[in-house]
Amino acid sequence: MRLTKPTLFTNIPVTCEEKDLPGDLFNQLMRDDPSTVNGAEILMLGEMLTLPQNFGNIFLGETFSSYISVHNDSNQVVKDILVKADLQTSSQRLNLSASNAAVAELKPDCCIDDVIHHEVKEIGTHILVCAVSYTTQGGEKMYFRKFFKFQVLKPLDVKTKFYNAETDEVFLEAQIQNITTSPMFMEKVSLEPSIMYNVAELNSVNQAGECVTTFGSRAYLQPMDTRQYLYCLKPKKEFAEKAGIIKGVTVIGKLDIVWKTNLGERGRLQTSQLQRMAPGYGDVRLSLEAIPDTVNLEEPFHITCKITNCSERTMDLVLEMCNTSSIHWCGISGRQLGKLHPSSSLCLALTLLSSVQGLQSVSGLRLTDTFLKRTYEYDDIAQVCVVSSAVKVES
C-alpha cells in the first residue's frame, strides 16, 4: 500500500433561506454534521482528514513511500522468511529493502511489516517487485512474487534563456510552469553556479530595509501557471580576464527547485548542467570599461576602452579614429598600440566631444593588424546623452 498524506475532507453545503419551505432544516443538518466547521458550516472545506482512496499520482522529485505487509494466513508456522522489495525502472533495478536478513519464523495470523522510501529520479513506468521466500513445516521451500506498476509524471516544465551583457555578465531567465493538477508552494528556486561564476538572484526588491520577493506574499503556483526567475552571473576574479576569450559551450550551473504540495508533501528537482554558447567576438574584442551617461554639448569627455586579442596569434595594432557627423575624436589618429599577445588585453583612455544634442552613438574606431593588413571596424559601441551646456550635468 502506498503511503501518502491524507486530504482535507470536503462536503457540498445545501442551504436555503428561512422563508423557504424547509425553513431552518438544512442549516440545522449542516450544524449537526461533525465534518463541518463550527460557525462556518456553508464552507466546503471541513476539519476532518480523508485517507487516500487510490494510488494517486506520483511526480518526479517526490519521495515514494510504501507499506509492505506479509501475513501468515495458514495455521502452520513457517520459517526462514525473506522479504525483498525491488524497484524496476527503465534504466536500473534498485533494492529498497531495509534489511536483507531472513526472519526465523512467522506464526499463524502474524505478519512482517516494512516501510520503504525512495526519491523518484526518473519519469516513466516503475514496477515495485515484492518477492517472498519461506520454508514450510515439511521443509519445502516456497517462493512467490507480486508486482505493482505505476507511472511517474513530470511535475514542472522548465525553460531557460541566456542574455549576454557587454560587461561579461550573463543573465539567466528561468521559466517554471506547474503542469500538475494541484497548486504548489514554491519553497526554493536557486541557481547553483559553476566554479567560473558568482550568482546574484534578481527576484526580490528592497522595501524599507527589508528584502521582499517580487512574487508577492503568496508563493503558490497554480496549475498551468508560469513563474519567471532571473539571475545574474559574473565571472570570478580569476576567470574574469579569460571571460572575453572563452569560446564554444560553457557550463553555467544548475537549478535547484524545492516545492510542497498536499499537506506539506515535499518534492525536489535539480536540472542538468545548464550550458550556453559563448558569443563570438572575432579576432579582436573591443569593450567599454567606463563611459559617462550624460555629457555637455561641445565639451570633451573621456571613455576607457579595453582591447582583447581573442585569436591564437600575436597582433601588431594601429588605432585610427574617424569622426562622424556628431561625434569628434580628440587625439592622434593612426598611433601604434604595439604588439598584443594571444589572450592579452590593454586599456585605452580616449577623449571625444559631440557637436549635436540628443542621444548620440559613439562610432568611428578602427583597429588595423599590420601583420595581416586586416582592419577591424567598431561602430555603435555605446550611446551617450548630449545636453546643452546650460543644463547642469550631475556627476
Side-chain angles (χ1 to χ4, degrees):
M1 180 177 66
R2 181 189 174 194
L3 298 179
T4 57
K5 299 280 187 180
T7 56
L8 291 171
F9 178 79
T10 57
N11 54 25
I12 301 177
V14 179
T15 184
C16 65
E17 297 181 359
E18 293 184 358
K19 63 182 179 180
D20 291 335
L21 185 60
D24 194 45
L25 177 63
F26 291 156
N27 294 333
Q28 185 60 44
L29 289 173
M30 287 194 296
R31 285 192 291 268
D32 295 339
D33 189 344
S35 67
T36 58
V37 180
N38 188 22
E41 292 83 6
I42 60 173
L43 292 179
M44 291 184 63
L45 205 60
E47 294 181 317
M48 292 187 174
L49 297 176
T50 304
L51 293 177
Q53 303 300 306
N54 50 39
F55 186 87
N57 294 324
I58 184 164
F59 295 97
L60 183 69
E62 294 183 341
T63 299
F64 169 71
S65 301
S66 182
Y67 167 67
I68 298 173
S69 179
V70 178
H71 185 266
N72 186 357
D73 293 335
S74 69
N75 56 4
Q76 300 178 1
V77 177
V78 295
K79 298 180 180 180
D80 301 328
I81 306 96
L82 181 62
V83 182
K84 188 178 180 182
D86 292 342
L87 186 64
Q88 178 70 55
T89 70
S90 59
S91 63
Q92 58 184 334
R93 189 183 182 105
L94 303 167
N95 181 19
L96 304 183
S97 300
S99 174
N100 291 322
V103 179
E105 65 175 23
L106 184 62
K107 295 179 181 179
D109 275 340
C110 292
C111 59
I112 300 172
D113 299 323
D114 191 14
V115 176
I116 58 175
H117 304 280
H118 174 67
E119 185 179 347
V120 182
K121 298 181 179 179
E122 294 182 45
I123 59 174
T125 303
H126 287 56
I127 303 174
L128 180 63
V129 183
C130 297
V132 180
S133 62
Y134 61 95
T135 305
T136 64
Q137 279 186 337
E140 185 181 2
K141 293 188 178 294
M142 305 293 289
Y143 176 82
F144 68 91
R145 291 190 303 175
K146 282 197 173 183
F147 301 90
F148 302 92
K149 187 177 180 179
F150 60 93
Q151 294 287 333
V152 175
L153 307 176
K154 186 180 176 183
L156 299 169
D157 186 28
V158 182
K159 297 178 181 178
T160 57
K161 295 180 181 178
F162 290 105
Y163 304 91
N164 300 302
E166 283 294 328
T167 55
D168 292 329
E169 295 177 340
V170 180
F171 290 90
L172 169 65
E173 177 192 347
Q175 299 180 359
I176 300 177
Q177 183 182 24
N178 176 9
I179 56 176
T180 69
T181 56
S182 58
M184 283 184 178
F185 173 77
M186 304 304 292
E187 184 175 294
K188 183 184 78 168
V189 179
S190 62
L191 177 64
E192 298 178 1
S194 64
I195 59 173
M196 290 180 56
Y197 294 95
N198 292 318
V199 64
E201 293 192 10
L202 306 179
N203 305 307
S204 58
V205 292
N206 196 322
Q207 292 184 355
E210 292 187 4
C211 198
V212 181
T213 175
T214 55
F215 306 114
S217 58
R218 297 181 180 179
Y220 291 97
L221 192 60
Q222 297 295 335
M224 303 312 295
D225 278 3
T226 301
R227 184 173 288 177
Q228 292 157 304
Y229 295 84
L230 187 62
Y231 303 91
C232 177
L233 296 108
K234 296 182 180 180
K236 292 181 180 178
K237 189 175 181 180
E238 56 268 31
F239 296 102
E241 290 300 320
K242 298 180 181 179
I245 58 171
I246 293 176
K247 298 179 181 180
V249 177
T250 56
V251 175
I252 296 296
K254 57 185 177 181
L255 287 169
D256 187 16
I257 307 168
V258 180
W259 70 90
K260 289 181 179 178
T261 53
N262 178 40
L263 291 183
E265 194 140 12
R266 197 166 180 263
R268 181 182 181 185
L269 194 63
Q270 277 193 331
T271 65
S272 56
Q273 290 287 352
L274 303 176
Q275 297 178 330
R276 65 137 189 170
M277 179 63 71
Y281 297 108
D283 292 340
V284 184
R285 180 188 180 191
L286 187 143
S287 58
L288 283 177
E289 296 291 295
I291 185 171
D293 294 328
T294 309
V295 297
N296 284 330
L297 180 68
E298 297 180 348
E299 289 187 9
F301 62 93
H302 307 283
I303 65 174
T304 303
C305 297
K306 182 179 180 182
I307 300 172
T308 304
N309 183 355
C310 299
S311 69
E312 298 178 354
R313 55 185 174 81
T314 301
M315 294 184 174
D316 187 18
L317 297 176
V318 174
L319 174 66
E320 295 182 11
M321 300 177 291
C322 305
N323 293 334
T324 65
S325 59
S326 59
I327 293 294
H328 306 274
W329 296 92
C330 304
I332 300 173
S333 180
R335 62 170 164 154
Q336 294 278 346
L337 300 181
K339 293 181 179 180
L340 189 62
H341 297 286
S343 305
S344 299
S345 302
L346 63 88
C347 290
L348 290 176
L350 301 175
T351 305
L352 59 161
L353 61 86
S354 176
S355 58
V356 181
Q357 294 187 67
L359 190 64
Q360 303 300 326
S361 181
V362 177
S363 302
L365 286 180
R366 304 289 184 264
L367 287 172
T368 301
D369 180 15
T370 58
F371 287 154
L372 296 182
K373 307 297 182 182
R374 185 178 296 172
T375 300
Y376 304 93
E377 300 181 356
Y378 299 95
D379 295 317
D380 298 323
I381 58 176
Q383 290 180 324
V384 292
C385 182
V386 182
V387 298
S388 172
S389 57
V391 179
K392 185 178 179 181
V393 178
E394 295 183 3
S395 58

